[in-house]
Amino acid sequence: MLRTGLFLVFVLLSSVFCLEDATEEFEEHLSIKSLKDGRVAFSFTFKTSLRDAIPRDPRMLAFDNDDSQHYTLFPLTLGQILRQYAITELHLTLNAGKWNYDAWGYPDEPDVGVGAELRAWMAGNSISSIDDRWQGVRNSLAGLFCASLGSLDEQRTTSPRSTFPPEGALPDWGLPHELRHASHASEHVCTENLTPFLKLLPCKSRSGLAMLLNPHRIFDADWHGIGLHVLWRPEGVEVRLSVQLVSDPLRISGQKKQDWSFSSLFDRKVEKACPVAKYSRVSVELPSSGVYRVYPEPPQVKDGIAYYDLKNANEVWDIGTMWPSDFEYRITHLALSKPNPALVPFSVRRNLLGSTQDRGQLSIVLTNNEQDVLQLLYLETMPWIIQFYLHTIRVHADDALRDDLISNISYILPIPHARPATFESVLTLPGRSTITFTMDVAKAFLRYTEHPPDAQRGWDLPPAIFTPLRQSSRNSTYLGKRVYSPSLLVDLATPDFSMPYNVIIFTCSVVAFIFGSVFNVLTRKFIVVRLEPQKRPESPPSKNLDSDESGKLDTSESDVH
């Protein structure tokens, strides 16, 4: 009777949880790609969908009667932040390293800029309301991910609507939506960011593909980054957590072979699938050339991609590839072989020229790798410490002045200590050509209190962003894919911080000497001590016999003489 009752309770609870989970779905996917330089790119995607859910109307923020939110798979802490500040769309990335577009191609997640990058779409009646919520959401995310996102203040915040269109849908509330974007090139991802990131997953790192996220191996990769993306679609709210990294099996193994596996690169295996995942899949993009072997044998191969379903198989997964021969870098055959087709339609080189600490020149070299004309949307968000001189803009194409190749210039002036500069324009690249964009800049003179602790190192400037506007004839997937340039390091006029230190030390020494002397005089009690002369002890009387004898002796001697 007792067993029957427990069984009925179990069935009832199971039915209740199934009804609650019907509006929430969790999916995980791992994409693996072998690169031409011997490295391997991994892209983890964990997607949680909340069906039939809509963002909170910002007009309801004035009331405290928000409906209670009960989540089973959806991360509760993140949901509370989204509801508290009425966020429609959110994107946060923390990256370390430089993504090499020429050798690795486009990443699965396009936001690969160096450092921290945060942007959000919010609706509101006033700009002040949106700015207040923007400040609250970045401070909340800073506490959630243990990152210095609080430094993304108004001095780093911009609103470039053309470069960052909404990836999802925006609700029609009759209110305008505004974009807030900020980046900080000095903020890098580390273990303290990965730990709260894993806590947002329903299975944490105990099962599923998240078991491979070994922090010792992730942060040893040549490039690594994590991302959080929140979108709204008519079907509901979608949260996508991503981890991307590029590992070098040749460096890790110490051998000349490109062999890799889960155990060799992550020091872990997938022992069991996440039980609440709708599906758990691994896709391996097979190399286009060479002799290799993929293990275990993939159950499905389609369009050069091997697929594995981890959800329906109860086994330990250690997927990998093996090459019978040693890996040879293509640079050794560069002079004898034909150049390989470019993985991206254009290449970017960005530098800040000049040897002085008050002026310089921003130089950007763009190379079109295709025959067709290519148009790029160019975005530059620069802190107020760097000021642009737009009248000095020059564009050269193959050493010829071509000012007609730049158009649609939009510039928002910086405000010292309050707002950065935002520069947007459209650059036209003729086929198979190289253009050079130059512009003179001025460097600000900062107060000594505004310098960072490592002032001699310099200031990190955010990367520039280029977005193709015209569809390529060779590959239509280039349209709208952003390309981040490397960040820059600018040297500003820096005072000699050792002189204040010397002055402080000398002043403290003088003050200590004077204070010690005065304090000694004021607090010491002087007492006059009178000393009486001490009586010497009397010596014993001498014997008269000696004196008589000596006298007699002298007398006798005188008589003799």
Side-chain angles (χ1 to χ4, degrees):
M1 189 67 179
L2 181 59
R3 293 182 178 178
T4 305
L6 293 176
F7 177 77
L8 293 176
V9 172
F10 176 77
V11 173
L12 180 60
L13 292 176
S14 299
S15 62
V16 171
F17 282 112
C18 288
L19 289 176
E20 292 182 357
D21 294 345
T23 58
E24 299 182 45
E25 294 181 355
F26 176 71
E27 305 168 354
E28 56 181 6
H29 178 258
L30 171 59
S31 175
I32 307 174
K33 180 181 178 181
S34 296
L35 305 176
K36 295 183 178 180
D37 58 355
R39 295 177 175 87
V40 183
F42 295 86
S43 178
F44 296 82
T45 303
F46 307 94
K47 185 171 66 175
T48 305
S49 301
L50 189 61
R51 301 295 179 182
D52 301 329
I54 60 174
R56 187 180 182 184
D57 192 334
R59 290 171 294 191
M60 302 302 296
L61 294 175
F63 307 95
D64 295 334
N65 56 349
D66 188 23
D67 297 335
S68 301
Q69 304 297 318
H70 301 283
Y71 305 125
T72 304
L73 305 178
F74 198 86
L76 176 60
T77 54
L78 181 61
Q80 292 175 342
I81 296 176
L82 299 176
R83 300 289 299 182
Q84 177 69 24
Y85 301 104
I87 305 299
T88 303
E89 183 171 319
L90 178 70
H91 301 272
L92 170 65
T93 54
L94 295 170
N95 304 316
K98 171 189 173 183
W99 185 270
N100 191 350
Y101 288 92
D102 296 332
W104 304 341
Y106 281 111
D108 292 343
E109 295 290 344
D111 300 330
V112 293
V114 178
E117 183 180 12
L118 176 65
R119 68 180 187 271
W121 282 91
M122 297 173 288
N125 291 320
S126 62
I127 300 299
S128 60
S129 173
I130 295 178
D131 292 338
D132 293 340
R133 288 153 54 197
W134 167 251
Q135 180 181 2
V137 70
R138 69 172 184 257
N139 291 334
S140 299
L141 293 175
L144 179 61
F145 289 98
C146 299
S148 301
L149 302 181
S151 60
L152 302 178
D153 53 6
E154 62 276 359
Q155 298 188 28
R156 302 179 185 272
T157 301
T158 59
S159 300
R161 299 173 60 93
S162 301
T163 304
F164 300 104
E167 297 184 12
L170 300 179
D172 187 8
W173 289 321
L175 299 175
H177 277 78
E178 294 289 337
L179 172 67
R180 293 295 181 268
H181 170 268
S183 61
H184 190 7
S186 301
E187 181 67 20
H188 297 298
V189 60
C190 59
T191 307
E192 62 183 4
N193 308 131
L194 182 63
T195 301
F197 177 87
L198 295 176
K199 292 182 179 180
L200 299 178
L201 301 176
C203 296
K204 307 300 187 287
S205 59
R206 302 184 183 94
S207 61
L209 296 176
M211 296 185 66
L212 299 176
L213 299 180
N214 184 0
H216 297 282
R217 293 303 182 91
I218 290 179
F219 300 118
D220 185 52
D222 294 356
W223 187 95
H224 54 271
I226 62 176
L228 166 66
H229 309 276
V230 181
L231 311 175
W232 179 77
R233 306 183 190 277
E235 298 82 11
V237 178
E238 174 186 312
V239 173
R240 188 174 72 252
L241 300 171
S242 63
V243 177
Q244 295 187 116
L245 65 147
V246 177
S247 299
D248 189 357
L250 289 87
R251 176 177 60 85
I252 295 176
S253 63
Q255 301 178 0
K256 297 182 179 180
K257 290 189 176 182
Q258 199 181 354
D259 300 349
W260 63 266
S261 63
F262 287 167
S263 58
S264 64
L265 295 184
F266 297 101
D267 200 18
R268 292 181 181 178
K269 303 177 183 179
V270 181
E271 299 178 357
K272 55 182 178 180
C274 181
V276 298
K278 183 180 179 181
Y279 69 79
S280 179
R281 299 174 183 173
V282 177
S283 61
V284 181
E285 184 174 343
L286 303 178
S288 58
S289 60
V291 179
Y292 57 89
R293 183 177 69 88
V294 181
Y295 63 90
E297 189 68 23
Q300 181 184 3
V301 178
K302 183 179 179 181
D303 298 333
I305 301 178
Y307 295 94
Y308 296 89
D309 188 1
L310 279 61
K311 179 67 176 178
N312 300 324
N314 296 325
E315 58 178 298
V316 178
W317 293 91
D318 189 16
I319 302 175
T321 57
M322 295 181 62
W323 275 263
S325 58
D326 295 342
F327 177 78
E328 295 183 2
Y329 291 95
R330 295 181 180 271
I331 192 173
T332 57
H333 305 284
L334 187 60
L336 302 178
S337 61
K338 296 181 179 180
N340 298 321
L343 300 178
V344 291
F346 63 96
S347 303
V348 181
R349 293 199 309 271
R350 177 170 171 255
N351 298 287
L352 188 61
L353 309 177
S355 58
T356 63
Q357 294 182 332
D358 58 342
R359 293 186 180 274
Q361 185 181 67
L362 181 64
S363 174
I364 298 176
V365 179
L366 298 168
T367 302
N368 189 355
N369 300 322
E370 298 186 345
Q371 297 290 345
D372 301 334
V373 177
L374 186 63
Q375 286 188 341
L376 301 176
L377 178 61
Y378 168 41
L379 171 64
E380 193 80 61
T381 57
M382 196 66 70
W384 63 269
I385 59 176
I386 300 296
Q387 301 174 4
F388 295 154
Y389 292 136
L390 299 188
H391 68 281
T392 62
I393 293 178
R394 296 292 183 271
V395 179
H396 293 79
D398 298 331
D399 298 333
L401 184 61
R402 294 286 305 274
D403 290 338
D404 59 311
L405 298 181
I406 183 172
S407 60
N408 299 339
I409 297 178
S410 174
Y411 182 59
I412 300 178
L413 290 172
I415 299 178
H417 311 281
R419 185 179 68 189
T422 304
F423 178 82
E424 285 184 295
S425 64
V426 176
L427 298 176
T428 302
L429 278 65
R432 295 293 180 182
S433 63
T434 300
I435 71 169
T436 303
F437 171 91
T438 58
M439 177 171 53
D440 294 343
V441 298
K443 305 176 185 179
F445 188 84
L446 305 181
R447 307 186 187 100
Y448 78 95
T449 56
E450 296 174 343
H451 287 274
D454 52 347
Q456 302 295 337
R457 177 183 175 273
W459 290 73
D460 290 291
L461 302 180
I465 303 175
F466 300 87
T467 307
L469 297 179
R470 180 170 296 180
Q471 183 171 328
S472 173
S473 61
R474 184 170 63 88
N475 195 335
S476 61
T477 59
Y478 293 152
L479 184 63
K481 285 196 172 183
R482 295 185 294 272
V483 172
Y484 288 79
S485 70
S487 61
L488 297 177
L489 189 66
V490 59
D491 183 22
L492 301 180
T494 306
D496 186 3
F497 287 101
S498 64
M499 292 306 297
Y501 174 78
N502 298 333
V503 172
I504 292 173
I505 294 298
F506 178 77
T507 305
C508 292
S509 301
V510 174
V511 170
F513 175 76
I514 297 176
F515 175 80
S517 302
V518 174
F519 183 80
N520 189 23
V521 172
L522 295 178
T523 58
R524 176 174 293 183
K525 184 178 181 180
F526 294 92
I527 300 176
V528 177
V529 179
R530 299 182 179 276
L531 299 178
E532 297 180 358
Q534 297 181 358
K535 296 181 179 181
R536 297 182 179 180
E538 297 180 358
S539 57
S542 57
K543 295 181 178 181
N544 296 329
L545 179 61
D546 298 336
S547 58
D548 294 340
E549 292 178 354
S550 60
K552 290 181 178 181
L553 182 62
D554 296 339
T555 303
S556 60
E557 289 177 357
S558 60
D559 294 338
V560 172
H561 289 290

